[in-house]
Amino acid sequence: MKKNTFIALLFIASSSISAQKSDEQMLKEVYNSALTNSKSYAWLDHLSNKIGSRLSGSAGAEKAVVYTKAEMEKLGFDRVYLQEVMVPKWVRGEKETAYILDNKTKITVPICALGGSIATPKKGITAEVIEVNSLKELAELGKDKIQGKIVFFNRAMDAAQIEAFHAYSGAGDQRYAGAAEASKFGAVGTIVRSLNLRLDDFPHTGAQGYGDIPESQYIPAAAISTNGAELLSKTLKSNPKLKFYFKQSCVQMDDVLSYNVIGEIKGSESPENIMVVGGHLDSWDLADGSHDDGAGVVQSMEVVNIFNNLGYKPKNTLRVVLWMNEENGLRGGKKYEEISLLNKENHILAFESDSGGFTPRGFSIEGDAANFDKIVSYKKLFEPYLIHSFVVGHAGSDIGPLTSKKIIKMGLKPDSQRYFDHHHAGNDTFDAVNKRELELGAGTMASMIYLVDKYGIVN
Amino acid sequence: MKKNTFIALLFIASSSISAQKSDEQMLKEVYNSALTNSKSYAWLDHLSNKIGSRLSGSAGAEKAVVYTKAEMEKLGFDRVYLQEVMVPKWVRGEKETAYILDNKTKITVPICALGGSIATPKKGITAEVIEVNSLKELAELGKDKIQGKIVFFNRAMDAAQIEAFHAYSGAGDQRYAGAAEASKFGAVGTIVRSLNLRLDDFPHTGAQGYGDIPESQYIPAAAISTNGAELLSKTLKSNPKLKFYFKQSCVQMDDVLSYNVIGEIKGSESPENIMVVGGHLDSWDLADGSHDDGAGVVQSMEVVNIFNNLGYKPKNTLRVVLWMNEENGLRGGKKYEEISLLNKENHILAFESDSGGFTPRGFSIEGDAANFDKIVSYKKLFEPYLIHSFVVGHAGSDIGPLTSKKIIKMGLKPDSQRYFDHHHAGNDTFDAVNKRELELGAGTMASMIYLVDKYGIVN
C-alpha cells in the first residue's frame, strides 16, 4: 500500500469513527435532556387538565391553539404562526342514553354517538336488534332481515394480533362505514362494539362517515362499551326479539375557522429543505385526549426544547406543526399540504407522533427503499435506548396528504398494548400517561430528526 | 460432490428448515394461546382482589399457598406439593404517622416503615433532620453532625438511566443499609426517599437490614413519598433547624412455618433434567402485589396452561415453583436449593418472572458464554413478538441460590418504565396490570422454555 493511500484510508477510518462517536454522544445527550430537563409533561398537564378535550371547533380546541402558540413563542423559533383552516364542527349535545329491553327488564348500557353521526329523534329509537360480525355478513342478510332494525356490529378486535394497531385496522370498517352500509338495507340505527381490546365500561367514539348515501337516508350510529356489547350479544342469544333503545342529540354545525399552529426554525445551511415534526391538536370530546394526541403535540414541541438545551441548530429548516382536525376531517393536514404546494416548498422529512405517549419501540416508515435502508442504518445507535423496531408502515394521518419531490415520512411507534384501552374514550386522561415514557418518545423523535438533519436523505 | 454427500447435505438442510418452520409455528401457537385462551388474568384477579397482600407469615400468604396449590392441581401436573420453609414474620401494625415541624407549622407527610425495621417508641420520635445523599456523605459528616438526629437519605433514582432497574440499583443502598450505617454515627432514626422515579404521594416500603450492629443500636427506618421528600428537602433549606416527627409500630415476630408451592410434570425423555419456572408468592403488605410478584406467579402457572392447550409434553421435567419470602429473607429460594442438593437434582434451566407484568421486551440471562450464545440464537424466532433484548444480567432473586452442574438462569425482562411507580407501594394493584401485557409475558416464557426443552443446553 502506498503511503498516501494509507494515510487517506486512515483519515477516512478515523473521521468515520469520530462521526460515529459523536452521534452516540449526541443521542446520549438528547435522551439525557429528554429525561431530565423536559417541558413535555408540564405542557401535557396544562393541555389535559387546564384545557381538556379539544374537538375541532370547540372552545377547548381554540384554547389549545392559543396556549401552544404562546408556549412555542417562548422556545425561540424564528417564527411562530397560525395557519387558517376551516374545520367541521360536530357537537355531541347531551349525554347519550341506551338500554336493552329484555321483555320487561330494562338494562342500561354505556353508549356514545360516533363522531359525525346524526341524532336520534328526540324520543330516541326503539327497535329490534340484529347482530352481525362484518359488513359482508350484513350484505348477505340483506333487506329482509335488516329492514326496520338496529344493526349491532359486534366483531371484536382480534386479540391474537401482537400489535394492537393491526387488531384495530381489522375491526375499524364496522365503525367507519357501518351506518352507511346498514342504511342501504333499511336499518334504523347502528350500534358498534367499541374498538377496545379490553372488557370494560367505556364506550369509544371515533369518526364515521355516511359516504355517498343521500342525507335523507342517514341513520344514527353509536358505539357501545365492550362489556355492553358482550351483554347485548348474550341477551340476544336468549331473547332474539329483545328491543334496544338509544337516544343521542349530536348535531353537525357549519364549518368554523380554526388553525394549524406552526413554529419554524430556519435551516442554517439548507433552509429550502424542510423537516416537519408534529401531532394533532384536536382530540375527541369524551376526555382530555392525553394520549391522542396531546402526547404527540408536546413531544413535537419538546424536540425543539431538546435542541435548545443542547445548543443544536438544524442545518435544514425545522417546523413543528400542530395540526387541527385529524379526528374528523383531516382538514389541517390537507391545508398544510395545500399551502406547501402554493409556496413550492420542499419537504425532506415529515415525522408524526400520533400513536400514544407509551414507551417508544421504533419507527413506522414510508419512503423509497434507499431511504428506508438509510434510516435502518441508524438502528445500532438506538439500541441503548431500546428502540428496535424499524418497519415499513403508516407514518401518520396528518402527514398523509404531504407530497414532495422526495420525502421520508415516519411515525413514532410506541408500545401499543394499552393504547386502545384509552383511545377515543373517557379514560384518555393525563393519569394514563407516564412521564418517562412520554419523554423517551420525545428523545427518540429528536434523535432521529438530528440524524436526518445531519445526513440528509437519498435524492 | 459425491451423490451421497449431496443427499446428506440436502437432508440436513431440509430437516433444519423443517425444524425452523416448526419452531415458528409452535411460537405462533404459544402466543396465540397466551392471548386468547389464558387463565393468568383471572388467577391474578383472585390473588389480588380476593386474597390481597401476602407478606410472609401473614394470613394472605397462607391463603395464597392454598389457592395456588388448588389451582395447580387443576392443571394436570404429575404432582403438586408444598415444600416447608420457616419464614420471618414482620408485622407493620397501625398505620405510620409523620410530620414536619417547621417552627409552629405541622405538615403531615406520607411515610411507611421499611420492612424489618423496629418500631419507634410509642410516643414517636421527634428530632432535627440531617439530609444526606449517600452513605459516603453520611460517613464524611460523622458523629458530630449526626448524633441525635434523624438522617434523611434523599438521593433520587437517576432519571437519566434508560432502564429503570439500573436507576433502582443505583439508589437502593440508602434503603437497605441506611439505618445500620446511620446508627453507627448516633442517629435516632432514618427517613429514606422512596425508590420511585415519579413524584407522587406513595411511600414505598422494602427490605432493610441492620447488618451486624448490636440489637441495642437498632434505630427505626421509614420511607417517605417522593413528594414528601421534595417538601422536606425544600423546607430544610429554609429552616435547617426544623424537626421531624414519626411514629411506627412494626414488630419482628418469631419465624413461622410457610411453604413453597411446587407443581411438577415428569419429563418424557430426560426426567432427571429439571427446568424450573416461577415467581414469588409473597408480596409486601401495602397493596395486592399485583406486579410484584402476582404477575410472575400467574405467568409461571400459565406456562403449563399453554402447554396443556397445545398438547405439549416437555421432554425434561418441568417444575412450576412459587417461592415464599423473596421480599424479606429469600428463605423459599434457599430452601428450594437445600432440598435440591439433598436430592442430588440436576437443574438445566431456572426461569423467573419478577420484574412486573408489563410488556415483555426480552431476557436477562446468567450462564456461560456457550449457553448465552445458544439462547441468543433463538432471537430471530422472537422478532414477531417484539422480543428483542437478550442481555447478560440478573435473572432472579429466588433462583439466585440454585446451583447445578450446568444451568442457565433467565429472568423475564418486561418494559421497566412504570415498574417503580408501583413497586412496594400502595398502588401495586390489579388495575395497574394490563391483561395483554401479562399474557404476552407468559407467552414469552412458554416459548423460551419450549426451546430450551427441545434443544437442551450446552454441557
Side-chain angles (χ1 to χ4, degrees):
Chain A
M1 195 186 288
K2 282 184 188 168
K3 200 181 158 195
N4 281 359
T5 317
F6 176 75
I7 288 171
L9 282 175
L10 196 70
F11 176 76
I12 290 165
S14 73
S15 73
S16 135
I17 284 164
S18 112
Q20 183 63 11
K21 222 176 176 172
S22 145
D23 288 341
E24 280 159 5
Q25 189 54 33
M26 182 67 182
L27 262 63
K28 195 169 177 185
E29 287 170 20
V30 164
Y31 277 96
N32 200 79
S33 172
L35 285 167
T36 62
N37 199 7
S38 168
K39 296 182 193 288
S40 57
Y41 195 64
W43 282 326
L44 187 64
D45 189 5
H46 188 100
L47 261 187
S48 297
N49 293 323
K50 295 282 193 290
I51 294 176
S53 74
R54 304 174 296 279
L55 191 56
S56 292
S58 69
E62 296 319 295
K63 280 184 204 164
V65 165
V66 172
Y67 171 68
T68 51
K69 178 166 182 281
E71 289 301 312
M72 293 233 271
E73 278 164 354
K74 298 178 198 166
L75 284 178
F77 285 95
D78 292 315
R79 186 180 166 218
V80 177
Y81 60 103
L82 301 183
Q83 186 172 64
E84 294 192 346
V85 53
M86 294 300 292
V87 295
K89 178 171 180 168
W90 178 85
V91 177
R92 183 172 302 278
E94 70 181 30
K95 196 169 155 51
E96 303 83 350
T97 53
Y99 47 79
I100 300 165
L101 272 172
D102 180 15
N103 296 315
K104 300 258 160 91
T105 314
K106 205 159 112 176
I107 314 164
T108 299
V109 286
I111 68 152
C112 67
L114 292 180
S117 173
I118 60 165
T120 58
K122 275 196 177 157
K123 63 176 179 37
I125 286 175
T126 308
E128 284 185 13
V129 174
I130 182 145
E131 176 175 339
V132 300
N133 274 295
S134 65
L135 298 179
K136 184 163 168 282
E137 190 186 342
L138 178 86
E140 283 163 6
L141 286 170
K143 208 155 193 163
D144 268 12
K145 301 275 175 58
I146 291 166
Q147 183 92 39
K149 290 184 185 153
I150 291 168
V151 173
F152 168 36
F153 291 100
N154 192 30
R155 184 163 89 261
M157 286 170 72
D158 177 10
Q161 296 291 333
I162 303 301
E163 295 267 21
F165 283 94
H166 296 165
Y168 180 68
S169 310
D173 60 344
Q174 309 170 101
R175 187 195 79 202
Y176 193 76
E181 293 306 309
S183 167
K184 292 176 186 166
F185 302 105
V188 296
T190 59
I191 301 289
V192 63
R193 181 190 181 98
S194 284
L195 295 175
N196 176 6
L197 280 155
R198 193 167 71 165
L199 290 176
D200 66 25
D201 298 318
F202 292 98
H204 292 229
T205 192
Q208 68 96 40
Y210 291 111
D212 52 8
I213 64 173
E215 213 172 315
S216 60
Q217 288 172 28
Y218 288 8
I219 56 173
I224 185 167
S225 72
T226 47
N227 275 338
E230 293 284 300
L231 179 67
L232 178 55
S233 181
K234 191 179 136 202
T235 315
L236 269 173
K237 280 180 185 66
S238 64
N239 176 10
K241 292 283 171 194
L242 68 77
K243 292 196 172 174
F244 192 84
Y245 166 88
F246 75 115
K247 185 185 169 197
Q248 53 193 37
S249 317
C250 42
V251 56
Q252 189 75 50
M253 326 273 277
D254 289 338
D255 289 0
V256 298
L257 180 64
S258 188
Y259 308 91
N260 293 327
V261 182
I262 304 179
E264 182 178 296
I265 300 172
K266 230 182 167 77
S268 61
E269 290 182 19
S270 311
E272 71 285 5
N273 292 335
I274 302 169
M275 305 184 300
V276 53
V277 58
H280 63 86
L281 204 48
D282 64 310
S283 80
W284 278 107
D285 58 329
L286 296 173
D288 307 334
S290 293
H291 276 295
D292 186 13
D293 183 24
V297 163
V298 300
Q299 285 172 327
S300 300
M301 290 162 64
E302 180 63 25
V303 168
V304 171
N305 187 45
I306 291 169
F307 286 170
N308 286 347
N309 286 346
L310 305 186
Y312 182 73
K313 301 281 176 209
K315 301 195 296 183
N316 304 286
T317 291
L318 176 61
R319 267 192 207 150
V320 174
V321 183
L322 312 179
W323 287 280
M324 186 52 71
N325 189 229
E326 188 272 345
E327 293 295 3
N328 58 340
L330 210 62
R331 301 277 186 88
K334 289 173 186 164
K335 175 60 73 174
Y336 182 81
E337 161 66 354
E338 184 191 320
I339 302 297
S340 170
L341 283 178
L342 270 180
N343 294 336
K344 299 190 170 53
E345 290 178 348
N346 182 45
H347 284 81
I348 60 168
L349 173 70
F351 195 125
E352 182 156 7
S353 167
D354 183 22
S355 302
F358 298 95
T359 301
R361 306 288 298 264
F363 308 95
S364 191
I365 304 164
E366 296 174 31
D368 60 18
N371 275 301
F372 181 79
D373 290 348
K374 184 157 183 159
I375 296 297
V376 171
S377 75
Y378 306 140
K379 197 168 177 178
K380 192 92 189 152
L381 286 167
F382 283 94
E383 257 178 31
Y385 310 100
L386 307 177
I387 301 298
H388 62 103
S389 179
F390 289 61
V391 297
V392 172
H394 176 71
S397 299
D398 295 291
I399 57 178
L402 196 56
T403 56
S404 210
K405 202 177 69 209
K406 191 77 131 185
I407 186 170
I408 313 178
K409 297 182 182 180
M410 304 178 72
L412 185 69
K413 204 166 159 318
D415 196 272
S416 67
Q417 300 309 326
R418 290 172 185 243
Y419 188 59
F420 294 96
D421 296 359
H422 303 277
H423 184 243
H424 297 181
N427 61 342
D428 185 2
T429 47
F430 184 65
D431 58 293
V433 177
N434 176 280
K435 181 170 181 280
R436 287 174 57 83
E437 295 180 358
L438 180 77
E439 291 168 349
L440 285 167
T444 303
M445 291 161 68
S447 295
M448 181 53 83
I449 291 165
Y450 164 78
L451 291 167
V452 173
D453 186 51
K454 180 168 177 184
Y455 296 111
I457 67 170
V458 185
N459 269 301
Chain B
M1 194 186 289
K2 283 186 187 167
K3 199 180 157 195
N4 281 358
T5 317
F6 176 75
I7 289 170
L9 281 176
L10 196 69
F11 176 78
I12 290 165
S14 74
S15 73
S16 136
I17 283 165
S18 111
Q20 184 63 11
K21 221 176 177 171
S22 147
D23 288 342
E24 282 160 4
Q25 187 55 33
M26 182 68 181
L27 261 63
K28 194 169 177 185
E29 287 170 21
V30 164
Y31 277 96
N32 200 78
S33 172
L35 286 168
T36 63
N37 200 7
S38 167
K39 296 183 194 289
S40 56
Y41 194 64
W43 282 326
L44 187 63
D45 188 6
H46 188 101
L47 262 187
S48 297
N49 293 321
K50 296 281 195 289
I51 295 176
S53 74
R54 304 175 295 280
L55 191 56
S56 292
S58 68
E62 296 318 297
K63 281 183 203 164
V65 166
V66 172
Y67 171 69
T68 52
K69 178 166 183 279
E71 288 301 312
M72 293 234 270
E73 280 165 351
K74 298 178 196 166
L75 284 177
F77 285 93
D78 292 315
R79 186 179 165 219
V80 177
Y81 61 103
L82 302 182
Q83 186 171 65
E84 294 191 347
V85 54
M86 293 301 290
V87 295
K89 178 171 181 168
W90 178 84
V91 176
R92 184 172 302 278
E94 69 181 32
K95 195 169 157 46
E96 302 83 349
T97 51
Y99 48 79
I100 301 165
L101 272 172
D102 180 15
N103 297 317
K104 300 258 160 92
T105 315
K106 205 161 112 176
I107 313 165
T108 299
V109 286
I111 68 151
C112 66
L114 291 179
S117 172
I118 60 165
T120 58
K122 275 196 180 157
K123 62 174 179 42
I125 287 175
T126 308
E128 283 186 14
V129 174
I130 182 146
E131 177 175 338
V132 301
N133 274 295
S134 65
L135 298 179
K136 184 163 169 280
E137 190 186 341
L138 178 86
E140 283 164 6
L141 286 170
K143 211 156 189 158
D144 268 10
K145 301 276 176 57
I146 290 165
Q147 183 91 38
K149 291 186 184 152
I150 292 169
V151 173
F152 168 37
F153 292 98
N154 193 29
R155 182 162 90 262
M157 286 170 70
D158 177 9
Q161 296 290 334
I162 303 299
E163 295 267 21
F165 283 94
H166 296 165
Y168 180 70
S169 311
D173 60 344
Q174 307 170 103
R175 187 195 80 201
Y176 194 77
E181 293 306 310
S183 166
K184 293 175 186 166
F185 300 106
V188 296
T190 60
I191 300 291
V192 62
R193 181 190 182 98
S194 284
L195 295 174
N196 176 6
L197 280 156
R198 194 167 71 165
L199 290 175
D200 66 25
D201 299 317
F202 293 97
H204 293 229
T205 191
Q208 68 95 40
Y210 292 110
D212 51 9
I213 65 172
E215 211 171 316
S216 61
Q217 288 172 30
Y218 289 6
I219 57 173
I224 185 168
S225 72
T226 45
N227 275 338
E230 292 285 298
L231 179 68
L232 177 54
S233 181
K234 192 180 134 199
T235 315
L236 269 172
K237 279 179 187 65
S238 65
N239 177 10
K241 293 281 171 195
L242 69 77
K243 293 196 170 175
F244 192 85
Y245 166 88
F246 74 115
K247 183 185 171 199
Q248 53 193 37
S249 316
C250 42
V251 56
Q252 190 74 50
M253 327 272 278
D254 289 338
D255 289 0
V256 298
L257 180 64
S258 188
Y259 308 92
N260 294 327
V261 183
I262 303 179
E264 182 178 297
I265 300 172
K266 229 181 167 80
S268 60
E269 290 182 18
S270 310
E272 72 284 5
N273 293 334
I274 302 170
M275 306 183 299
V276 55
V277 58
H280 63 86
L281 204 46
D282 63 311
S283 80
W284 279 106
D285 58 329
L286 296 173
D288 307 333
S290 292
H291 276 295
D292 188 11
D293 183 26
V297 164
V298 301
Q299 286 172 327
S300 301
M301 290 164 65
E302 180 63 26
V303 168
V304 171
N305 186 45
I306 291 169
F307 286 170
N308 285 349
N309 287 344
L310 305 185
Y312 182 74
K313 302 280 175 207
K315 300 196 297 186
N316 303 286
T317 292
L318 176 61
R319 267 191 208 152
V320 174
V321 183
L322 312 180
W323 287 280
M324 186 52 70
N325 189 230
E326 188 273 344
E327 293 295 2
N328 57 339
L330 210 63
R331 300 279 185 87
K334 289 173 185 163
K335 176 58 72 173
Y336 182 82
E337 161 66 355
E338 183 191 321
I339 303 297
S340 170
L341 282 178
L342 269 180
N343 293 336
K344 299 191 168 54
E345 290 178 347
N346 181 46
H347 284 80
I348 60 167
L349 173 70
F351 195 124
E352 182 157 8
S353 169
D354 183 23
S355 301
F358 297 95
T359 301
R361 305 288 300 264
F363 308 95
S364 193
I365 304 164
E366 296 174 32
D368 60 17
N371 276 300
F372 181 79
D373 290 348
K374 184 157 183 159
I375 296 296
V376 172
S377 76
Y378 307 140
K379 197 168 177 178
K380 191 94 190 152
L381 285 167
F382 283 94
E383 258 180 30
Y385 311 101
L386 307 176
I387 301 298
H388 62 103
S389 180
F390 290 62
V391 298
V392 171
H394 176 70
S397 298
D398 296 290
I399 58 178
L402 197 56
T403 56
S404 210
K405 202 178 68 212
K406 190 77 129 185
I407 186 170
I408 313 178
K409 297 184 182 180
M410 303 177 74
L412 185 69
K413 204 165 159 316
D415 195 273
S416 67
Q417 301 309 326
R418 291 172 184 244
Y419 188 59
F420 294 96
D421 295 358
H422 304 277
H423 185 242
H424 297 180
N427 60 343
D428 184 3
T429 47
F430 184 64
D431 58 294
V433 178
N434 176 280
K435 181 171 181 279
R436 286 174 58 84
E437 295 179 358
L438 180 77
E439 292 169 349
L440 284 166
T444 304
M445 292 161 68
S447 294
M448 180 54 84
I449 291 166
Y450 164 78
L451 291 168
V452 173
D453 186 53
K454 181 169 175 182
Y455 296 111
I457 68 169
V458 185
N459 269 302

